[in-house]
Amino acid sequence: MCVRVFANISAARGWHLPLLSSSFWGGQASDSARVALKLGNCVAARWKSSLIRPHVTIVATATRSQESNPSQAIFFSDAGLNRAAEMRVDKTKLSEAFDSPEALVVPLVDAKNLVKGGKSVLVEASALRLTNADHESAGFPVFLGLSNSTKAPVFAVNLEKVPSAGEERPAWEDGGEWIDLRRYGSQLQPSDAGLLAYARGMLEWQTRNRHCGRCGGRMIAKDGGHSLHCSLDSCKHSAYPRLDPAVIMLVACGNYVLLGRQSRWNPGRYSLLAGFVEIGETFEMSVAREVKEESGIEIDQTSVSYIASQPWPFPSSLMVGFSASAKKNKCDPYSPESEDNNAVAVSPDKLIVVDELRALPQTSADELELEDARWVHKDLLRWVLKGNPLPHSVEFSIPGSYAIANIILSRWTESKREDSMWAGDDVISADIDEGVFEYVLMCLSDDKGREKLIVRGNSKLAYHSDILTAAQEEVKDMGLQVSQLGGGRIDHNVKERKLHVYSSSQAFGLANHSVTCAILRQWYPFHSITLAWG
């Protein structure tokens, strides 16, 4: 059940509902008004007389739930509406739509949306009659569109304020919560989040443009609230909703991606680099400039490619996603012979892990923009995206699935894998202990010839042969084989985030420590990693 409350609009203290003026509808306003407020899953409750005048009637009605859109891929991008732009300029149709019994309103207070039970709350507007409205304290209702499923017209309305802590909440609000959509939005269904974002963005735009930017006169709404016009005949300036385009970019260098973090974020939170487009720039120019300014990395501008976009109405951004390739360090191919001829040979195609690491350009985070910028390997990201924790309680996270950064990273980690996926993908490349311990460099393979290098180290196993046996047991049920490529020792200081690779194995010989360090770097991007051949 839900409640429908009929009341004189001007009576609710601190809950002024802006009414539809003649400038919005194109007709004459009447002298009185009533509004029907319909809020899902709440029961009839009382209001204090201090909150509303005595002439109140509460009537129980059936609940009407909002439709969801489970197939939506990008949050805030689909309100589940047909925007029906042709209706905005038809004053008669707008008036008929708002007066219809199916009409619904999305309420906002101080840029906050009302939710109840994890769902958006709508207001039923069937009992509203037109009157003069105090637009100075509120704003103009906005026609959002027609519901895709029910064809019901949907509007957005700005209320004045939330009751203070000492005031009793109105009955129609019982059980509801006014939330900041930016923080709470990810907990909603995509269609609910999209609808609330659309309403919030439009009403915030109205709030910022209550007065003419040219002469300071009062602005009035037209076109269903989608345009504002100066009320002074001497000016007649018009304003329309504007977006602030921002680029967000996945900058790759081989199998590494460039991530950054701001100091105000939660510990360990990293994301893609992003920034606003400046006047006179193309998107491609903005990508190159922002990456250079924030991280010191130069990109190949010819590599910039569009991926996807996401509305971000906080207050009025459009995030436009791109991919780009960093300019790599120029270096000769890695030659094991230049370091130690005694190391167990690793096949040349596997040495690419070292070349890829050496090709990474050095980051230099702009302290005014970022606290840190660094390269993170694709395998680590794929592991985190699957919900797996990092070893040794290392704090590292990326934005949730509601954010375009997560979507772009997910697509990148899974790209070009359909034909190459195998059981070895589920085996972590570096699984090591804390303190000082023996380690073995190994080659993991299946009967189809697919291979990958892994590193295993365990302080509880005293011999390299024991470490190899443990690794073989680890993967035997997966149809995989493990062969050793030498060993050594690792000193792992977790607190100081330091890894030192050294020594050799009496049973297996000397492992290629450069290859080992390259694999460790893939899984320990926040560690300082060193090696010694002696």
Side-chain angles (χ1 to χ4, degrees):
M1 300 292 289
C2 60
V3 298
R4 181 182 293 168
V5 181
F6 299 89
N8 188 308
I9 296 304
S10 62
R13 186 187 73 188
W15 284 92
H16 177 87
L17 177 65
L19 304 178
L20 307 185
S21 70
S22 58
S23 64
F24 184 85
W25 294 112
Q28 296 298 316
S30 61
D31 295 328
S32 62
R34 294 189 303 162
V35 63
L37 299 177
K38 175 175 181 292
L39 300 174
N41 299 325
C42 64
V43 297
R46 64 186 179 87
W47 283 1
K48 277 188 177 180
S49 59
S50 62
L51 287 177
I52 190 164
R53 291 176 184 171
H55 48 281
V56 177
T57 304
I58 299 178
V59 182
T61 70
T63 300
R64 179 189 301 158
S65 61
Q66 267 300 97
E67 69 272 13
S68 60
N69 183 10
S71 63
Q72 185 169 340
I74 297 189
F75 248 69
F76 307 127
S77 66
D78 186 357
L81 300 175
N82 169 10
R83 299 202 175 201
E86 68 281 358
M87 287 183 59
R88 298 173 188 170
V89 296
D90 192 322
K91 300 172 184 177
T92 301
K93 285 187 177 180
L94 281 178
S95 180
E96 292 174 350
F98 199 88
D99 288 339
S100 70
E102 293 82 15
L104 299 171
V105 171
V106 180
L108 269 88
V109 171
D110 295 334
K112 289 182 170 62
N113 297 99
L114 185 61
V115 298
K116 182 178 296 186
K119 296 181 179 180
S120 61
V121 172
L122 300 184
V123 173
E124 191 174 66
S126 59
L128 182 66
R129 291 201 215 107
L130 307 181
T131 187
N132 294 325
D134 182 8
H135 299 304
E136 295 294 334
S137 64
F140 299 91
V142 176
F143 173 63
L144 300 178
L146 303 175
S147 168
N148 285 335
S149 62
T150 67
K151 310 304 178 186
V154 182
F155 298 81
V157 170
N158 206 3
L159 303 175
E160 189 175 13
K161 68 175 183 177
V162 176
S164 63
E167 292 180 303
E168 183 175 334
R169 297 160 71 93
W172 56 265
E173 192 209 346
D174 273 2
E177 179 185 5
W178 293 97
I179 54 94
D180 181 352
L181 187 62
R182 182 170 187 171
R183 297 179 179 274
Y184 189 95
S186 62
Q187 302 178 43
L188 300 174
Q189 290 295 319
S191 60
D192 279 350
L195 177 61
L196 298 186
Y198 180 20
R200 169 173 167 160
M202 288 299 300
L203 292 178
E204 280 207 281
W205 165 72
Q206 280 195 359
T207 299
R208 295 194 306 272
N209 290 275
R210 289 180 178 176
H211 298 278
C212 178
R214 181 178 294 172
C215 71
R218 184 174 64 86
M219 300 292 276
I220 58 176
K222 294 183 180 180
D223 302 325
H226 288 261
S227 66
L228 296 173
H229 303 266
C230 183
S231 59
L232 299 181
D233 292 336
S234 59
C235 180
K236 294 297 183 183
H237 175 63
S238 300
Y240 300 88
R242 294 287 187 266
L243 291 175
D244 301 317
V247 291
I248 181 168
M249 39 276 177
L250 186 147
V251 179
C253 188
N255 285 311
Y256 287 86
V257 64
L258 182 62
L259 299 181
R261 67 167 274 106
Q262 297 181 11
S263 58
R264 60 185 177 87
W265 292 354
N266 292 335
R269 170 60 62 93
Y270 279 76
S271 185
L272 297 175
L273 272 57
F276 287 103
V277 180
E278 295 187 352
I279 294 175
E281 280 187 325
T282 64
F283 284 127
E284 293 81 0
M285 293 167 62
S286 181
V287 168
R289 175 184 55 77
E290 285 289 345
V291 173
K292 177 66 175 177
E293 287 179 358
E294 294 187 352
S295 68
I297 300 299
E298 294 187 4
I299 66 166
D300 176 5
Q301 291 198 39
T302 64
S303 70
V304 179
S305 179
Y306 171 79
I307 300 176
S309 61
Q310 179 183 32
W312 197 252
F314 310 112
S316 57
S317 296
L318 177 66
M319 305 299 295
V320 187
F322 293 88
S323 63
S325 298
K327 291 183 177 180
K328 298 180 178 181
N329 288 335
K330 295 181 178 180
C331 52
D332 294 329
Y334 170 65
S335 174
E337 291 77 14
S338 64
E339 294 183 319
D340 197 312
N341 288 324
N342 296 320
V344 176
V346 177
S347 60
D349 62 305
K350 301 296 185 299
L351 298 178
I352 191 174
V353 296
V354 180
D355 290 331
E356 198 170 53
L357 186 59
R358 296 169 66 191
L360 295 177
Q362 181 66 39
T363 60
S364 177
D366 177 7
E367 294 182 357
L368 297 178
E369 297 276 353
L370 298 176
E371 181 181 69
D372 184 36
R374 64 181 59 235
W375 297 101
V376 177
H377 196 267
K378 179 182 289 188
D379 288 348
L380 176 64
L381 278 174
R382 187 183 298 121
W383 182 263
V384 171
L385 284 165
K386 289 181 178 179
N388 298 311
L390 291 187
H392 314 296
S393 301
V394 174
E395 291 183 320
F396 175 72
S397 64
I398 60 176
S401 58
Y402 65 92
I404 191 173
N406 184 289
I407 294 170
I408 293 174
L409 286 168
S410 296
R411 292 180 183 179
W412 178 70
T413 58
E414 298 301 322
S415 63
K416 300 179 181 179
R417 294 188 69 229
E418 291 185 3
D419 297 332
S420 60
M421 293 178 64
W422 64 302
D425 290 335
D426 295 326
V427 179
I428 190 171
S429 298
D431 187 0
I432 61 172
D433 213 333
E434 302 178 11
V436 179
F437 48 86
E438 313 295 331
Y439 93 88
V440 179
L441 177 63
M442 311 177 201
C443 181
L444 185 70
S445 61
D446 65 6
D447 55 6
K448 293 185 178 180
R450 290 172 292 198
E451 298 178 335
K452 68 181 288 187
L453 298 179
I454 62 174
V455 175
R456 293 293 184 267
N458 193 325
S459 61
K460 298 180 179 62
L461 300 177
Y463 301 101
H464 292 93
S465 57
D466 294 335
I467 296 174
L468 175 62
T469 299
Q472 292 170 337
E473 286 294 318
E474 174 190 351
V475 301
K476 71 176 184 178
D477 293 336
M478 305 170 68
L480 301 175
Q481 300 82 45
V482 178
S483 58
Q484 59 86 12
L485 295 172
R489 305 194 85 192
I490 294 177
D491 185 349
H492 185 192
N493 188 321
V494 174
K495 185 177 180 179
E496 296 182 8
R497 292 188 175 183
K498 291 181 179 181
L499 283 164
H500 182 62
V501 182
Y502 64 104
S503 190
S504 64
S505 167
Q506 186 174 0
F508 298 150
L510 174 66
N512 187 315
H513 293 333
S514 290
V515 173
T516 300
C517 287
I519 297 172
L520 291 175
R521 173 62 177 79
Q522 295 174 3
W523 290 87
Y524 292 86
F526 308 106
H527 279 56
S528 169
I529 304 176
T530 58
L531 65 85
W533 290 102

